[in-house]
Amino acid sequence: PCFTNIKEIALLSENRRNYALIGWLICGLGALFYSYEYLLRIAPSAMETALREHFNLSATGFGHISSIYYYAYVPMQLPVGIMMDRYGPRRLLTFACMVCVIGTFLFTGTTSFWVAASGRFLVGLGSAFAFVGVLKLATIWLPENKLAMVSGITSALGTVGAMLGDNFLEIFVVRLGWIKTLNITAFFGIVLTFLLWLGIHDKKGRHRQSGTVSDFKTGLVDLSIIISNRQIWINGLYGCMVYLPTTVFAELWGIPYLRHAHGLSAHDAGLANSLLFLGFTVGAPLMGYFSDRIARRKLPMFLGASIATVLMLVILYFPGLTETNVQILMFFLGLFYSAQAIVFAVGRELSPGEAAGTAMAFTNMIVMLGGMLLQPLVGHLLDFSYSLRSGASVSSALVVDNVNKLYNMTDYRIALAFIPLSMLIAALLTFFLRETHAHAPK
Protein backbone atom coordinates (compact mmCIF):
# COMPACT_ATOMS: atom_id res chain seq x y z
CA PRO A 1 0.00 0.00 0.00
CA CYS A 2 2.85 2.36 0.80
CA PHE A 3 4.39 1.71 -2.62
CA THR A 4 1.01 2.33 -4.25
CA ASN A 5 0.62 5.63 -2.40
CA ILE A 6 4.10 6.72 -3.50
CA LYS A 7 3.21 5.90 -7.11
CA GLU A 8 -0.04 7.84 -6.84
CA ILE A 9 1.74 10.84 -5.34
CA ALA A 10 4.41 10.73 -8.06
CA LEU A 11 1.73 10.48 -10.76
CA LEU A 12 -0.21 13.38 -9.25
CA SER A 13 2.96 15.47 -9.08
CA GLU A 14 3.78 14.67 -12.71
CA ASN A 15 0.25 15.59 -13.80
CA ARG A 16 0.54 18.92 -12.00
CA ARG A 17 3.83 19.66 -13.74
CA ASN A 18 2.32 18.74 -17.10
CA TYR A 19 -0.70 20.96 -16.48
CA ALA A 20 1.59 23.82 -15.41
CA LEU A 21 3.69 23.49 -18.58
CA ILE A 22 0.64 23.25 -20.82
CA GLY A 23 -0.92 26.19 -18.98
CA TRP A 24 2.09 28.43 -19.50
CA LEU A 25 2.25 27.49 -23.19
CA ILE A 26 -1.45 28.23 -23.69
CA CYS A 27 -1.23 31.51 -21.82
CA GLY A 28 1.90 32.34 -23.84
CA LEU A 29 0.00 31.84 -27.09
CA GLY A 30 -2.74 34.13 -25.84
CA ALA A 31 -0.08 36.66 -24.85
CA LEU A 32 1.32 36.49 -28.40
CA PHE A 33 -2.04 37.77 -29.63
CA TYR A 34 -1.92 40.49 -26.98
CA SER A 35 1.55 41.51 -28.22
CA TYR A 36 0.23 41.55 -31.78
CA GLU A 37 -2.75 43.75 -30.99
CA TYR A 38 -0.48 46.02 -28.95
CA LEU A 39 1.71 46.45 -32.03
CA LEU A 40 -1.37 47.50 -34.00
CA ARG A 41 -2.45 49.80 -31.17
CA ILE A 42 0.74 51.86 -31.06
CA ALA A 43 1.46 51.78 -34.83
CA PRO A 44 0.16 55.34 -35.47
CA SER A 45 2.80 56.76 -33.11
CA ALA A 46 5.59 55.37 -35.32
CA MET A 47 3.81 56.58 -38.51
CA GLU A 48 2.75 60.05 -37.39
CA THR A 49 4.25 62.03 -40.27
CA ALA A 50 3.11 59.57 -42.97
CA LEU A 51 -0.43 59.28 -41.61
CA ARG A 52 -0.91 63.01 -41.13
CA GLU A 53 0.24 63.70 -44.67
CA HIS A 54 -1.77 60.82 -46.17
CA PHE A 55 -5.04 61.80 -44.45
CA ASN A 56 -4.26 65.55 -44.22
CA LEU A 57 -4.59 65.70 -40.42
CA SER A 58 -3.89 68.30 -37.76
CA ALA A 59 -2.74 67.16 -34.31
CA THR A 60 -6.40 67.07 -33.27
CA GLY A 61 -7.32 64.87 -36.23
CA PHE A 62 -4.35 62.59 -35.65
CA GLY A 63 -5.37 62.18 -32.02
CA HIS A 64 -8.92 61.33 -33.08
CA ILE A 65 -7.99 58.71 -35.69
CA SER A 66 -5.78 56.95 -33.16
CA SER A 67 -8.22 57.18 -30.25
CA ILE A 68 -11.08 55.67 -32.29
CA TYR A 69 -9.44 52.37 -31.39
CA TYR A 70 -10.51 53.01 -27.79
CA TYR A 71 -14.09 53.87 -28.74
CA ALA A 72 -14.45 50.20 -29.62
CA TYR A 73 -12.03 48.79 -27.06
CA VAL A 74 -13.41 50.43 -23.92
CA PRO A 75 -17.18 49.76 -24.14
CA MET A 76 -16.52 46.22 -25.39
CA GLN A 77 -14.87 45.27 -22.10
CA LEU A 78 -18.19 44.56 -20.37
CA PRO A 79 -19.59 42.12 -22.95
CA VAL A 80 -16.10 40.63 -23.44
CA GLY A 81 -15.82 39.82 -19.73
CA ILE A 82 -19.25 38.19 -19.60
CA MET A 83 -18.58 36.22 -22.81
CA MET A 84 -15.20 35.03 -21.52
CA ASP A 85 -16.82 33.68 -18.35
CA ARG A 86 -19.67 32.10 -20.33
CA TYR A 87 -17.94 30.66 -23.43
CA GLY A 88 -14.22 30.54 -22.65
CA PRO A 89 -11.31 32.19 -24.50
CA ARG A 90 -10.58 29.89 -27.46
CA ARG A 91 -13.36 30.84 -29.88
CA LEU A 92 -13.40 34.46 -28.81
CA LEU A 93 -9.65 35.07 -29.20
CA THR A 94 -9.64 33.41 -32.64
CA PHE A 95 -12.55 35.55 -33.81
CA ALA A 96 -10.96 38.68 -32.34
CA CYS A 97 -7.68 38.18 -34.18
CA MET A 98 -9.47 37.89 -37.52
CA VAL A 99 -11.38 41.12 -36.79
CA CYS A 100 -8.04 42.87 -36.21
CA VAL A 101 -6.81 41.62 -39.58
CA ILE A 102 -9.92 42.88 -41.40
CA GLY A 103 -9.67 46.26 -39.67
CA THR A 104 -5.99 46.63 -40.63
CA PHE A 105 -6.67 45.92 -44.31
CA LEU A 106 -9.53 48.42 -44.23
CA PHE A 107 -7.27 51.08 -42.68
CA THR A 108 -4.53 50.67 -45.30
CA GLY A 109 -6.85 50.43 -48.31
CA THR A 110 -8.29 53.95 -48.32
CA THR A 111 -7.57 57.67 -48.41
CA SER A 112 -10.85 58.49 -46.67
CA PHE A 113 -10.62 59.52 -43.04
CA TRP A 114 -13.92 57.86 -42.15
CA VAL A 115 -13.14 54.55 -43.86
CA ALA A 116 -9.76 54.49 -42.12
CA ALA A 117 -11.48 55.34 -38.83
CA SER A 118 -13.83 52.39 -39.35
CA GLY A 119 -10.83 50.11 -39.84
CA ARG A 120 -9.23 51.48 -36.70
CA PHE A 121 -12.53 50.87 -34.88
CA LEU A 122 -12.47 47.19 -35.95
CA VAL A 123 -8.88 46.83 -34.71
CA GLY A 124 -10.03 48.15 -31.34
CA LEU A 125 -13.01 45.80 -31.39
CA GLY A 126 -10.84 42.73 -31.90
CA SER A 127 -8.16 43.93 -29.50
CA ALA A 128 -10.74 44.23 -26.72
CA PHE A 129 -10.63 40.45 -26.26
CA ALA A 130 -6.84 40.05 -25.98
CA PHE A 131 -5.76 41.09 -22.49
CA VAL A 132 -8.85 39.79 -20.70
CA GLY A 133 -8.58 36.54 -22.66
CA VAL A 134 -5.03 35.93 -21.45
CA LEU A 135 -5.95 36.69 -17.84
CA LYS A 136 -8.96 34.38 -18.10
CA LEU A 137 -6.69 31.61 -19.39
CA ALA A 138 -4.39 32.29 -16.45
CA THR A 139 -7.25 31.86 -13.94
CA ILE A 140 -8.06 28.50 -15.57
CA TRP A 141 -4.56 27.08 -15.99
CA LEU A 142 -2.25 28.75 -13.46
CA PRO A 143 -2.15 28.98 -9.63
CA GLU A 144 -4.54 31.54 -8.12
CA ASN A 145 -1.97 32.86 -5.64
CA LYS A 146 0.27 33.94 -8.54
CA LEU A 147 -2.35 36.18 -10.15
CA ALA A 148 -0.57 39.51 -9.63
CA MET A 149 2.65 38.10 -11.06
CA VAL A 150 0.76 36.52 -13.98
CA SER A 151 -1.04 39.79 -14.76
CA GLY A 152 2.36 41.51 -14.61
CA ILE A 153 3.92 38.99 -16.98
CA THR A 154 0.93 39.31 -19.32
CA SER A 155 1.21 43.09 -19.33
CA ALA A 156 4.95 42.78 -19.91
CA LEU A 157 4.52 40.46 -22.88
CA GLY A 158 2.12 42.94 -24.43
CA THR A 159 4.76 45.63 -24.33
CA VAL A 160 7.07 43.41 -26.39
CA GLY A 161 4.78 44.24 -29.31
CA ALA A 162 5.13 47.92 -28.47
CA MET A 163 8.93 47.70 -28.41
CA LEU A 164 8.92 45.96 -31.78
CA GLY A 165 6.69 48.70 -33.10
CA ASP A 166 8.89 51.53 -31.86
CA ASN A 167 12.15 49.99 -33.11
CA PHE A 168 11.14 48.33 -36.38
CA LEU A 169 7.98 49.95 -37.71
CA GLU A 170 9.78 53.23 -38.36
CA ILE A 171 12.46 51.37 -40.37
CA PHE A 172 9.87 49.48 -42.41
CA VAL A 173 7.84 52.65 -42.98
CA VAL A 174 10.91 54.40 -44.40
CA ARG A 175 11.81 51.47 -46.65
CA LEU A 176 8.41 50.13 -47.68
CA GLY A 177 5.90 52.83 -46.78
CA TRP A 178 3.30 52.66 -44.03
CA ILE A 179 0.68 50.84 -46.14
CA LYS A 180 2.90 47.87 -47.01
CA THR A 181 4.21 47.77 -43.45
CA LEU A 182 0.74 47.44 -41.93
CA ASN A 183 -0.31 44.95 -44.60
CA ILE A 184 2.60 42.72 -43.54
CA THR A 185 1.30 42.81 -39.96
CA ALA A 186 -2.15 41.86 -41.26
CA PHE A 187 -0.78 38.78 -43.07
CA PHE A 188 0.96 37.76 -39.84
CA GLY A 189 -2.42 38.13 -38.13
CA ILE A 190 -3.94 35.59 -40.51
CA VAL A 191 -1.31 33.04 -39.49
CA LEU A 192 -1.84 33.87 -35.83
CA THR A 193 -5.60 33.31 -36.17
CA PHE A 194 -5.02 29.66 -37.10
CA LEU A 195 -2.45 29.22 -34.33
CA LEU A 196 -4.92 30.50 -31.73
CA TRP A 197 -7.65 28.12 -32.90
CA LEU A 198 -5.33 25.11 -32.87
CA GLY A 199 -3.32 25.89 -29.74
CA ILE A 200 -5.69 27.35 -27.15
CA HIS A 201 -7.77 25.13 -24.85
CA ASP A 202 -10.19 26.64 -22.36
CA LYS A 203 -10.71 23.43 -20.38
CA LYS A 204 -8.39 22.11 -17.69
CA GLY A 205 -9.17 18.43 -17.46
CA ARG A 206 -12.33 16.73 -18.62
CA HIS A 207 -14.48 17.97 -15.76
CA ARG A 208 -14.31 21.65 -16.74
CA GLN A 209 -16.85 23.42 -18.90
CA SER A 210 -15.78 25.99 -21.51
CA GLY A 211 -16.89 28.79 -19.21
CA THR A 212 -17.02 29.29 -15.46
CA VAL A 213 -20.49 30.86 -15.49
CA SER A 214 -23.43 28.61 -16.38
CA ASP A 215 -25.70 31.24 -17.97
CA PHE A 216 -25.93 34.92 -18.85
CA LYS A 217 -28.31 35.64 -15.96
CA THR A 218 -25.64 34.65 -13.46
CA GLY A 219 -23.09 36.68 -15.39
CA LEU A 220 -25.30 39.77 -15.27
CA VAL A 221 -25.85 39.34 -11.52
CA ASP A 222 -22.08 39.17 -11.02
CA LEU A 223 -21.65 42.23 -13.24
CA SER A 224 -24.13 44.24 -11.16
CA ILE A 225 -22.22 43.30 -8.00
CA ILE A 226 -18.95 44.40 -9.60
CA ILE A 227 -20.30 47.70 -10.97
CA SER A 228 -21.86 48.68 -7.64
CA ASN A 229 -18.61 48.06 -5.73
CA ARG A 230 -16.99 51.44 -4.97
CA GLN A 231 -13.65 49.74 -4.36
CA ILE A 232 -13.63 48.41 -7.92
CA TRP A 233 -13.97 51.97 -9.21
CA ILE A 234 -11.20 53.32 -6.99
CA ASN A 235 -8.92 50.49 -8.11
CA GLY A 236 -9.78 51.03 -11.78
CA LEU A 237 -9.26 54.80 -11.60
CA TYR A 238 -5.86 54.22 -10.04
CA GLY A 239 -5.00 51.96 -12.97
CA CYS A 240 -6.30 54.48 -15.50
CA MET A 241 -4.29 57.39 -14.09
CA VAL A 242 -1.05 55.47 -13.55
CA TYR A 243 -1.29 53.97 -17.05
CA LEU A 244 -1.37 57.38 -18.79
CA PRO A 245 2.38 57.18 -19.62
CA THR A 246 1.35 54.27 -21.85
CA THR A 247 -2.12 55.14 -23.18
CA VAL A 248 -1.44 58.82 -23.83
CA PHE A 249 2.33 59.29 -23.91
CA ALA A 250 4.10 56.19 -25.24
CA GLU A 251 1.29 54.83 -27.44
CA LEU A 252 0.76 58.06 -29.37
CA TRP A 253 2.49 61.29 -28.31
CA GLY A 254 5.79 60.00 -26.89
CA ILE A 255 7.74 59.77 -30.14
CA PRO A 256 6.43 63.11 -31.51
CA TYR A 257 7.22 64.77 -28.16
CA LEU A 258 10.78 63.44 -28.04
CA ARG A 259 11.39 64.45 -31.64
CA HIS A 260 9.87 67.93 -31.52
CA ALA A 261 10.65 68.97 -27.94
CA HIS A 262 14.06 67.33 -27.38
CA GLY A 263 15.25 67.28 -30.99
CA LEU A 264 15.80 63.51 -31.20
CA SER A 265 15.85 61.78 -34.57
CA ALA A 266 12.99 59.44 -35.44
CA HIS A 267 15.18 56.42 -34.65
CA ASP A 268 16.45 57.79 -31.32
CA ALA A 269 12.95 58.85 -30.28
CA GLY A 270 11.63 55.38 -31.07
CA LEU A 271 14.47 53.82 -29.06
CA ALA A 272 13.83 56.06 -26.06
CA ASN A 273 10.10 55.40 -26.24
CA SER A 274 10.71 51.64 -26.40
CA LEU A 275 12.84 51.88 -23.25
CA LEU A 276 9.72 52.94 -21.37
CA PHE A 277 8.07 49.74 -22.58
CA LEU A 278 11.21 47.79 -21.65
CA GLY A 279 11.04 49.22 -18.14
CA PHE A 280 7.40 48.15 -17.93
CA THR A 281 8.31 44.70 -19.29
CA VAL A 282 10.91 44.25 -16.53
CA GLY A 283 8.91 45.94 -13.79
CA ALA A 284 5.43 44.46 -14.18
CA PRO A 285 6.39 40.85 -13.28
CA LEU A 286 8.67 42.11 -10.48
CA MET A 287 5.95 44.32 -9.03
CA GLY A 288 3.49 41.43 -9.24
CA TYR A 289 5.94 39.02 -7.63
CA PHE A 290 6.74 41.51 -4.86
CA SER A 291 3.04 42.11 -4.22
CA ASP A 292 2.28 38.37 -4.10
CA ARG A 293 5.33 37.73 -1.91
CA ILE A 294 4.42 40.26 0.79
CA ALA A 295 0.67 39.59 0.33
CA ARG A 296 0.01 43.32 0.05
CA ARG A 297 -1.31 45.35 -2.86
CA LYS A 298 -1.44 48.96 -1.66
CA LEU A 299 2.24 49.46 -0.78
CA PRO A 300 3.74 48.67 -4.22
CA MET A 301 0.87 50.56 -5.90
CA PHE A 302 1.56 53.70 -3.84
CA LEU A 303 5.34 53.57 -4.29
CA GLY A 304 5.08 52.92 -8.02
CA ALA A 305 2.71 55.83 -8.66
CA SER A 306 4.66 58.27 -6.45
CA ILE A 307 8.07 57.61 -7.98
CA ALA A 308 6.64 57.56 -11.52
CA THR A 309 5.11 61.00 -10.91
CA VAL A 310 8.51 62.47 -10.07
CA LEU A 311 10.15 60.85 -13.10
CA MET A 312 7.43 62.11 -15.47
CA LEU A 313 7.86 65.65 -14.13
CA VAL A 314 11.60 65.48 -14.79
CA ILE A 315 11.06 64.20 -18.37
CA LEU A 316 8.62 67.00 -19.14
CA TYR A 317 10.03 69.98 -17.27
CA PHE A 318 13.71 69.49 -16.38
CA PRO A 319 15.85 71.59 -18.78
CA GLY A 320 18.93 70.43 -20.65
CA LEU A 321 18.26 66.68 -20.75
CA THR A 322 20.63 64.75 -23.00
CA GLU A 323 19.63 61.78 -25.12
CA THR A 324 21.15 59.42 -22.53
CA ASN A 325 19.31 61.20 -19.69
CA VAL A 326 16.01 60.78 -21.53
CA GLN A 327 16.65 57.09 -22.17
CA ILE A 328 17.47 56.35 -18.51
CA LEU A 329 14.47 58.32 -17.27
CA MET A 330 12.12 56.58 -19.69
CA PHE A 331 13.32 53.14 -18.57
CA PHE A 332 12.82 53.88 -14.88
CA LEU A 333 9.46 55.54 -15.54
CA GLY A 334 8.30 52.28 -17.14
CA LEU A 335 9.81 50.28 -14.28
CA PHE A 336 7.88 52.09 -11.55
CA TYR A 337 4.53 52.80 -13.18
CA SER A 338 4.33 49.08 -13.98
CA ALA A 339 2.78 48.77 -10.51
CA GLN A 340 -0.40 49.46 -12.50
CA ALA A 341 -0.50 45.76 -13.49
CA ILE A 342 -1.44 44.86 -9.91
CA VAL A 343 -4.91 46.41 -10.34
CA PHE A 344 -6.14 43.38 -12.30
CA ALA A 345 -5.34 41.06 -9.40
CA VAL A 346 -7.05 43.50 -7.03
CA GLY A 347 -10.12 43.65 -9.29
CA ARG A 348 -10.25 39.87 -9.27
CA GLU A 349 -9.90 39.76 -5.48
CA LEU A 350 -12.69 42.27 -4.94
CA SER A 351 -15.20 40.31 -7.05
CA PRO A 352 -17.17 37.02 -7.05
CA GLY A 353 -14.89 34.03 -7.56
CA GLU A 354 -16.49 32.63 -10.74
CA ALA A 355 -16.59 36.06 -12.45
CA ALA A 356 -12.84 36.50 -13.00
CA GLY A 357 -13.22 37.50 -16.65
CA THR A 358 -15.96 40.04 -15.93
CA ALA A 359 -14.05 41.56 -13.00
CA MET A 360 -10.80 42.00 -14.91
CA ALA A 361 -12.60 43.20 -18.04
CA PHE A 362 -14.48 45.88 -16.09
CA THR A 363 -11.20 46.95 -14.47
CA ASN A 364 -9.56 47.06 -17.88
CA MET A 365 -12.43 49.17 -19.21
CA ILE A 366 -11.83 51.83 -16.56
CA VAL A 367 -8.07 51.70 -17.16
CA MET A 368 -8.47 52.27 -20.89
CA LEU A 369 -10.76 55.26 -20.51
CA GLY A 370 -7.55 57.32 -20.37
CA GLY A 371 -6.63 56.50 -23.96
CA MET A 372 -10.16 57.06 -25.27
CA LEU A 373 -10.66 60.46 -23.65
CA LEU A 374 -7.18 61.91 -23.34
CA GLN A 375 -5.37 60.99 -26.59
CA PRO A 376 -7.49 63.47 -28.59
CA LEU A 377 -7.33 65.97 -25.70
CA VAL A 378 -3.56 66.23 -26.15
CA GLY A 379 -4.12 67.02 -29.82
CA HIS A 380 -6.64 69.73 -28.95
CA LEU A 381 -4.27 71.24 -26.39
CA LEU A 382 -1.36 71.21 -28.85
CA ASP A 383 -3.42 73.02 -31.48
CA PHE A 384 -4.73 75.44 -28.84
CA SER A 385 -1.24 76.21 -27.53
CA TYR A 386 0.07 76.74 -31.07
CA SER A 387 -2.82 79.07 -31.89
CA LEU A 388 -2.32 81.00 -28.66
CA ARG A 389 1.41 81.36 -29.32
CA SER A 390 1.24 82.21 -33.03
CA GLY A 391 -2.14 83.92 -33.28
CA ALA A 392 -3.16 81.56 -36.11
CA SER A 393 -5.17 78.37 -36.26
CA VAL A 394 -3.69 75.07 -37.45
CA SER A 395 -4.65 74.64 -41.10
CA SER A 396 -4.28 71.66 -43.42
CA ALA A 397 -1.60 73.50 -45.39
CA LEU A 398 0.46 74.00 -42.26
CA VAL A 399 0.12 70.31 -41.43
CA VAL A 400 1.39 69.16 -44.81
CA ASP A 401 4.24 71.67 -45.10
CA ASN A 402 5.42 71.78 -41.48
CA VAL A 403 4.23 68.56 -39.90
CA ASN A 404 7.41 68.29 -37.81
CA LYS A 405 7.82 72.01 -37.02
CA LEU A 406 4.46 73.24 -35.71
CA TYR A 407 4.77 72.42 -32.03
CA ASN A 408 7.59 73.32 -29.67
CA MET A 409 8.51 72.14 -26.17
CA THR A 410 6.18 74.66 -24.50
CA ASP A 411 3.20 73.35 -26.48
CA TYR A 412 3.94 69.79 -25.37
CA ARG A 413 4.53 70.79 -21.76
CA ILE A 414 1.10 72.40 -21.63
CA ALA A 415 -0.62 69.52 -23.44
CA LEU A 416 0.94 66.75 -21.34
CA ALA A 417 0.80 68.42 -17.91
CA PHE A 418 -2.19 66.35 -16.77
CA ILE A 419 -0.15 63.09 -16.88
CA PRO A 420 2.02 63.69 -13.76
CA LEU A 421 -0.94 65.37 -12.03
CA SER A 422 -3.12 62.31 -12.63
CA MET A 423 -0.43 59.93 -11.36
CA LEU A 424 -0.13 61.98 -8.17
CA ILE A 425 -3.89 61.68 -7.66
CA ALA A 426 -3.60 57.92 -8.26
CA ALA A 427 -1.01 57.63 -5.48
CA LEU A 428 -3.43 59.37 -3.11
CA LEU A 429 -6.27 57.03 -4.17
CA THR A 430 -4.42 54.08 -2.62
CA PHE A 431 -5.30 55.48 0.82
CA PHE A 432 -8.98 54.88 0.01
CA LEU A 433 -8.45 51.36 -1.37
CA ARG A 434 -9.13 48.29 0.75
CA GLU A 435 -6.16 45.95 1.18
CA THR A 436 -7.05 42.47 -0.16
CA HIS A 437 -3.85 40.74 1.08
CA ALA A 438 -3.67 38.79 -2.19
CA HIS A 439 -6.77 36.78 -1.30
CA ALA A 440 -9.29 35.91 -4.02
CA PRO A 441 -12.75 34.60 -3.07
CA LYS A 442 -13.61 31.10 -4.24
Side-chain angles (χ1 to χ4, degrees), residues 128-139:
F129 292 82
F131 186 67
V132 177
V134 182
L135 292 183
K136 181 63 180 180
L137 285 169
T139 63

Side-chain angles (χ1 to χ4, degrees), residues 3-82:
F3 180 71
T4 303
N5 290 338
I6 292 173
K7 286 181 64 178
E8 289 176 351
I9 292 171
L11 183 60
L12 180 61
S13 177
E14 183 178 356
N15 287 338
R16 286 177 177 172
R17 285 196 299 270
N18 289 339
Y19 272 132
L21 177 60
I22 293 170
W24 282 108
L25 290 174
I26 289 174
C27 291
L29 185 57
L32 179 61
F33 173 49
Y34 179 50
S35 295
Y36 171 68
E37 75 85 5
Y38 214 126
L39 175 69
L40 298 179
R41 186 193 307 183
I42 62 97
S45 176
M47 304 174 178
E48 181 215 10
T49 302
L51 291 178
R52 287 174 64 176
E53 291 179 349
H54 183 84
F55 294 109
N56 197 24
L57 300 173
S58 66
T60 301
F62 179 62
H64 277 304
I65 202 169
S66 178
S67 65
I68 284 171
Y69 168 101
Y70 289 101
Y71 286 98
Y73 188 103
V74 173
M76 274 299 294
Q77 290 305 298
L78 291 183
V80 164
I82 295 173

Side-chain angles (χ1 to χ4, degrees), residues 241 244-245 248-249 312 316 378 416-424:
M241 293 177 177
L244 291 180
V248 174
F249 189 72
M312 192 76 219
L316 290 178
V378 174
L416 298 170
F418 63 84
I419 295 180
L421 176 62
S422 297
M423 289 195 292
L424 177 61

Side-chain angles (χ1 to χ4, degrees), residues 47 99 130 212 234 319 356 359 379 412 434:
M47 304 174 178
V99 172
T212 52
I234 294 173
Y412 278 101
R434 177 166 63 86

Side-chain angles (χ1 to χ4, degrees), residues 81-99:
I82 295 173
M83 285 189 286
M84 284 290 174
D85 287 332
R86 178 66 183 91
Y87 296 113
R90 183 190 182 210
R91 286 173 288 181
L92 295 176
L93 290 180
T94 304
F95 165 78
C97 190
M98 182 52 66
V99 172

Side-chain angles (χ1 to χ4, degrees), residues 237-238 240-245 305 309 374 416-429:
L237 286 173
Y238 169 93
C240 174
M241 293 177 177
V242 175
Y243 205 45
L244 291 180
T309 299
L374 299 179
L416 298 170
F418 63 84
I419 295 180
L421 176 62
S422 297
M423 289 195 292
L424 177 61
I425 294 172
L428 297 177
L429 281 177

Side-chain angles (χ1 to χ4, degrees), residues 361-383:
F362 186 72
T363 302
N364 198 37
M365 183 193 76
I366 302 173
V367 168
M368 291 304 173
L369 283 172
M372 183 178 76
L373 300 176
L374 299 179
Q375 278 191 355
L377 176 63
V378 174
H380 282 296
L381 291 173
L382 281 172
D383 288 340

